[in-house]
Amino acid sequence: MEKKILKSIIVRQQELVCNVDFIERPLTIEATVNYVLVGLRRAGKTYMLYQTIRHLLNEGHKKEEILFVNFEDERINGICKEELHEILEAYGELYDTKPIVFLDEVQNIDGWEHFARRLADEKYKVFVTGSNAYMLSREIASTLGGRYQIREIYPFSFMEYLKWHGVAIDKTWEYGSARQTVRRMFDDYICYGGISEVFPLKDKRGWLTTLYQKVLYSDVVMRNRIRNDKALSLLVKKLADSVLQPTSVKRLQDMLTGIGEKVTRETVTAFLKYLHDAYLTFSLANYSDGIKEREGTRKHYFYDNGILNLFLFQPEAKLLENIVALSLVRKYGEDEVFYYRRNVEVDFVVPRQSLAIQVAYDLELSSTKSRETASLAGLCKYMDNISNPLIITMETEDTIYADDVKIEVIPVWKWLIENSNVS
């Protein structure tokens, strides 16, 4: 690797970070900790690094202390782990200070974790980003030896989306003109998701299609050396179709076999893992199942509504439930959110928060209202720690009593603001 190229990259990034514009997003950073930021491509990991750098500069650090390398830069496309030390050497020939190191999309380099561990051992302050949950695997965690903390970066929340568009939310927002603005803007957000690069575009669907294809083939097919990419593509479509219903691995296998793609259950299981690793899809277990049963039948969702919407016909109900699932997982973590299916069916349960949620596009039909309230009231009998039952709708706001259980009904766009981590 030519040192001249590395030096050019280092200096150019130092200039760039002082001029780049970004929306401030919540990220708690401790001065003595190294971090790995992971998430879907284009979800904003690089801008989180820029935000961190800007904070460091505001605290008194000099831009010359910043050593930022993006490993998707075509000029260093062929760099290997044995050459990574040359980055530090190139920096050392430019400056005589110890840098703060930022390694962007480093998952492209096999063996990057050994370099990252050495940097931590030598007391460098290090930030790493990647678009691959393999970076969270036990093997990687073992190699890093507890020297890094993991932060998952999601697409923009609805509150962040509003902030990007200059909409201020204060304590009185729902009583004035901001309410109509929020409601109107939510229609775009639920359909096109939270990846900020798509916000100003006219052809949002075209851009999202290109992103999806990039993630599927670069981060899933090529990385995992998948031969039957047609079956993988069909599986993604089947997952989109099944967003509202629990689906077993066996059922997914049967669906693919029924349209001419013969795959084993083991292959389907592997495909699901790869899609999760690439931050395309995630899944939730049935809280009423035993530990072993939870891996068999799960509800599957997408990390971004815009990508999910690429596959849907009459998408309203699925987009609504997906955005609730994503918000819950974003706030509480994937291991804390479940659905419930035994005697009664409830869309989401977060036991540690005493929270149970039904999602209904509207409650105009009395049969729908009775079904949703009966399910929540029934769950409160089976789980006596549930004290916060909700029905999330597109428009309806109400308070309902069913079998002495108080159930709040709230529009999704209002709930997303109240449920947001953004202050």
Side-chain angles (χ1 to χ4, degrees):
M1 181 60 58
E2 290 187 30
K3 294 282 184 66
K4 186 177 180 180
I5 293 175
L6 292 173
K7 291 177 183 178
S8 175
I9 290 171
I10 292 168
V11 173
R12 181 69 186 94
Q13 286 291 344
Q14 290 171 344
E15 296 171 350
L16 175 63
V17 74
C18 294
N19 299 304
V20 69
D21 293 323
F22 56 85
I23 294 294
E24 188 83 12
R25 303 185 68 190
L27 181 66
T28 302
I29 296 296
E30 296 187 43
T32 59
V33 179
N34 300 312
Y35 291 93
V36 178
L37 310 184
V38 292
L40 177 67
R41 278 181 184 263
R42 319 313 299 174
K45 299 182 298 297
T46 299
Y47 279 84
M48 285 298 211
L49 294 186
Y50 290 155
Q51 175 179 303
T52 300
I53 292 170
R54 191 70 62 85
H55 288 174
L56 290 170
L57 295 177
N58 291 340
E59 291 170 3
H61 290 276
K62 299 178 180 179
K63 74 174 184 178
E64 289 78 13
E65 295 178 65
I66 304 304
L67 171 51
F68 187 111
V69 179
N70 182 348
F71 288 94
E72 291 192 324
D73 191 317
E74 77 283 355
R75 292 172 293 177
I76 55 171
N77 195 39
I79 195 171
C80 62
K81 64 179 180 181
E82 290 81 10
E83 298 173 306
L84 289 174
H85 68 93
E86 296 179 16
I87 296 172
L88 288 177
E89 292 175 1
Y91 178 89
E93 292 175 12
L94 289 169
Y95 310 106
D96 60 0
T97 186
K98 192 169 189 173
I100 304 170
V101 182
F102 297 83
L103 307 176
D104 194 20
E105 297 294 353
V106 74
Q107 82 282 345
N108 295 327
I109 311 300
D110 289 335
W112 67 269
E113 62 273 17
H114 301 285
F115 179 62
R117 175 168 176 164
R118 179 164 68 84
L119 289 176
D121 288 341
E122 294 176 3
K123 306 304 180 183
Y124 286 89
K125 177 70 173 178
V126 188
F127 296 84
V128 176
T129 78
S131 303
N132 180 0
Y134 172 68
M135 298 174 73
L136 296 175
S137 71
R138 291 180 180 178
E139 292 81 2
I140 295 296
S142 176
T143 303
L144 292 177
R147 292 161 174 80
Y148 289 77
Q149 287 191 15
I150 308 299
R151 291 286 186 271
E152 291 187 300
I153 306 301
Y154 290 87
F156 275 40
S157 69
F158 185 46
M159 275 288 283
E160 291 173 317
Y161 177 83
L162 293 172
K163 184 178 180 181
W164 191 95
H165 285 89
V167 179
I169 298 297
D170 58 24
K171 293 181 180 180
T172 64
W173 72 269
E174 63 177 311
Y175 304 107
S177 60
R179 181 184 178 97
Q180 287 72 38
T181 302
V182 166
R183 179 62 190 88
R184 174 176 51 80
M185 298 192 72
F186 180 72
D187 285 338
D188 267 356
Y189 179 74
I190 194 173
C191 288
Y192 297 111
I195 298 175
S196 61
E197 287 183 57
V198 83
F199 296 167
L201 301 180
K202 292 183 179 179
D203 184 14
K204 293 178 171 60
R205 188 178 183 89
W207 190 93
L208 287 165
T209 298
T210 300
L211 173 64
Y212 164 69
Q213 292 171 345
K214 175 67 173 177
V215 174
L216 188 70
Y217 289 101
S218 294
D219 296 340
V220 182
V221 173
M222 293 178 63
R223 181 170 293 154
N224 298 290
R225 300 176 183 177
I226 294 173
R227 296 180 180 178
N228 193 351
D229 57 313
K230 181 181 178 182
L232 176 68
S233 296
L234 290 171
L235 176 63
V236 175
K237 294 178 182 178
K238 293 301 179 184
L239 293 175
D241 287 339
S242 68
V243 157
L244 299 177
Q245 298 296 328
T247 307
S248 68
V249 172
K250 180 63 166 60
R251 177 166 171 74
L252 291 170
Q253 179 197 9
D254 290 343
M255 288 179 180
L256 293 175
T257 301
I259 54 179
E261 294 298 322
K262 293 185 178 181
V263 292
T264 65
R265 293 180 66 175
E266 290 74 19
T267 296
V268 174
T269 298
F271 282 179
L272 291 172
K273 179 182 181 301
Y274 300 153
L275 293 171
H276 182 265
D277 287 351
Y279 285 91
L280 270 177
T281 65
F282 63 96
S283 63
L284 303 179
N286 183 2
Y287 185 74
S288 64
D289 281 346
I291 299 299
K292 292 183 179 180
E293 296 173 297
R294 287 180 179 179
E295 296 306 314
T297 300
R298 301 175 71 91
K299 293 182 77 171
H300 297 275
Y301 298 97
F302 283 66
Y303 276 99
D304 183 71
N305 261 41
I307 292 178
L308 168 61
N309 200 19
L310 295 175
F311 308 103
L312 299 182
F313 176 70
Q314 295 182 331
E316 291 82 3
K318 292 176 181 178
L319 291 178
L320 178 59
E321 182 162 324
N322 194 83
I323 212 166
V324 173
L326 182 58
S327 181
L328 290 171
V329 167
R330 177 191 181 104
K331 184 168 186 177
Y332 300 117
E334 196 171 327
D335 294 335
E336 296 293 325
V337 184
F338 304 85
Y339 70 95
Y340 190 98
R341 195 173 197 182
R342 180 169 294 175
N343 301 316
V344 297
E345 296 184 20
V346 175
D347 293 324
F348 301 107
V349 177
V350 190
R352 292 182 188 272
Q353 304 298 321
S354 302
L355 177 63
I357 293 175
Q358 287 288 67
V359 180
Y361 194 81
D362 65 62
L363 292 179
E364 290 184 4
L365 293 176
S366 58
S367 58
T368 301
K369 184 176 181 179
S370 297
R371 182 180 67 249
E372 305 295 6
T373 54
S375 293
L376 284 172
L379 180 68
C380 289
K381 293 180 179 179
Y382 295 119
M383 295 180 63
D384 56 11
N385 66 321
I386 297 298
S387 58
N388 188 18
L390 300 176
I391 298 177
I392 296 177
T393 70
M394 184 59 80
E395 302 292 349
T396 307
E397 186 166 8
D398 199 357
T399 300
I400 300 172
Y401 290 87
D403 294 337
D404 297 324
V405 175
K406 181 181 179 182
I407 300 171
E408 298 293 341
V409 182
I410 185 171
V412 60
W413 37 272
K414 181 177 179 180
W415 177 78
L416 286 172
I417 291 174
E418 294 181 355
N419 192 56
S420 177
N421 287 324
V422 184
S423 59

